[in-house]
C-alpha cells in the first residue's frame, strides 16, 4: 500500500505554490523584485520599480524658464523696505497687534519660486521686522507682503 502511494505521488503533477513558481516566467531582475509574503506561505509578489531621473540639461532648462520679473525679485532679496499699506499682524509674541504701516524691515525671501518652479503665492515677499517690546527688548517676526504694500529704501 505504501508503494502505491509513493508511485502515485510521483505520477501526479506537482501541486502547491512551488509548482506555480516553476510555471511563471521570472521577471526581469533589473525592473522588479520578488518579496516573500510570510514564512508559512510560499506565495510571491512581483513589484515593478521604474525610476525617472532628470538630467542636468532639463534642470538647467527649468532655471532658464524663470521670467525676468522673478529674477529681478530674487536679486532684491536682502534690501531694506518700508511698508506703505495699512497692515496689521496678530502673530507677534506678547503684543496683541502690530501696525506695520511705516515700519522698516529687511526683504528675506521671494517665495513665488520654489525649487525652480513657479508657485501661486498670494503674498510672495517674506519680510523680517524687529519690534521693541517693553521688558523684553527687540522681538524678531516675519510677515508676507505683496509688491504694492511696500517700497524699497535707498541705502
Amino acid at each position: 500500500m505504501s508503494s502505491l502511494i509513493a508511485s502515485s505521488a510521483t505520477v501526479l503533477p506537482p501541486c502547491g505554490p512551488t509548482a506555480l513558481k516553476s510555471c511563471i516566467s521570472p521577471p526581469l531582475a533589473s525592473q522588479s523584485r520578488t518579496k516573500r509574503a510570510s514564512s508559512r506561505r510560499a506565495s510571491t509578489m512581483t513589484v515593478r520599480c521604474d525610476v525617472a531621473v532628470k538630467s542636468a540639461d532639463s534642470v538647467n532648462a527649468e532655471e532658464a524658464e524663470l521670467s525676468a520679473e522673478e529674477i529681478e525679485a530674487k536679486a532684491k532679496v536682502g534690501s531694506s523696505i518700508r511698508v506703505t499699506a495699512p497692515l496689521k499682524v496678530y502673530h507677534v509674541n506678547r503684543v496683541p497687534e502690530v501696525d506695520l504701516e511705516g515700519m522698516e524691515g529687511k526683504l528675506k525671501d521671494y517665495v513665488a519660486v520654489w525649487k525652480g518652479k513657479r508657485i501661486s503665492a498670494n503674498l510672495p515677499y517674506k519680510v523680517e521686522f524687529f519690534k521693541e517690546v517693553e521688558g523684553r527688548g527687540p522681538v524678531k517676526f516675519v510677515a508676507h507682503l505683496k509688491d504694492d504694500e511696500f517700497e524699497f529704501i535707498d541705502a
Side-chain angles (χ1 to χ4, degrees), residues 94-108:
R94 305 200 183 186
V95 181
E97 69 180 35
V98 177
D99 186 19
L100 293 181
E101 187 174 12
M103 285 186 72
E104 294 182 3
K106 184 177 180 182
L107 190 63
K108 293 301 280 184

Side-chain angles (χ1 to χ4, degrees), residues 2-143:
S2 63
S3 63
L4 181 63
I5 294 174
S7 64
S8 65
T10 57
V11 174
L12 293 175
C15 56
T18 56
L20 292 176
K21 193 184 292 184
S22 64
C23 296
I24 298 173
S25 61
L28 296 175
S30 63
Q31 291 182 350
S32 65
R33 180 175 58 182
T34 304
K35 181 180 177 184
R36 182 162 239 168
S38 69
S39 61
R40 292 182 186 178
R41 295 185 300 168
S43 64
T44 59
M45 179 174 56
T46 303
V47 178
R48 184 180 172 114
C49 301
D50 293 328
V51 178
V53 179
K54 290 184 179 181
S55 66
D57 295 334
S58 66
V59 173
N60 292 337
E62 288 177 5
E63 291 175 1
E65 291 176 3
L66 296 177
S67 69
E69 176 186 330
E70 294 165 349
I71 294 171
E72 181 181 324
K74 283 280 193 184
K76 292 180 180 178
V77 170
S79 59
S80 298
I81 60 108
R82 180 180 299 120
V83 179
T84 58
L87 298 172
K88 290 185 180 181
V89 293
Y90 300 94
H91 62 274
V92 181
N93 290 338
R94 305 200 183 186
V95 181
E97 69 180 35
V98 177
D99 186 19
L100 293 181
E101 187 174 12
M103 285 186 72
E104 294 182 3
K106 184 177 180 182
L107 190 63
K108 293 301 280 184
D109 197 9
Y110 180 70
V111 297
V113 177
W114 179 254
K115 294 184 180 178
K117 295 185 180 184
R118 176 98 171 120
I119 60 170
S120 61
N122 294 332
L123 304 169
Y125 293 96
K126 185 177 181 180
V127 182
E128 180 182 62
F129 295 99
F130 287 96
K131 174 75 175 172
E132 191 70 32
V133 177
E134 293 178 20
R136 180 133 187 247
V139 176
K140 178 173 66 172
F141 66 96
V142 178

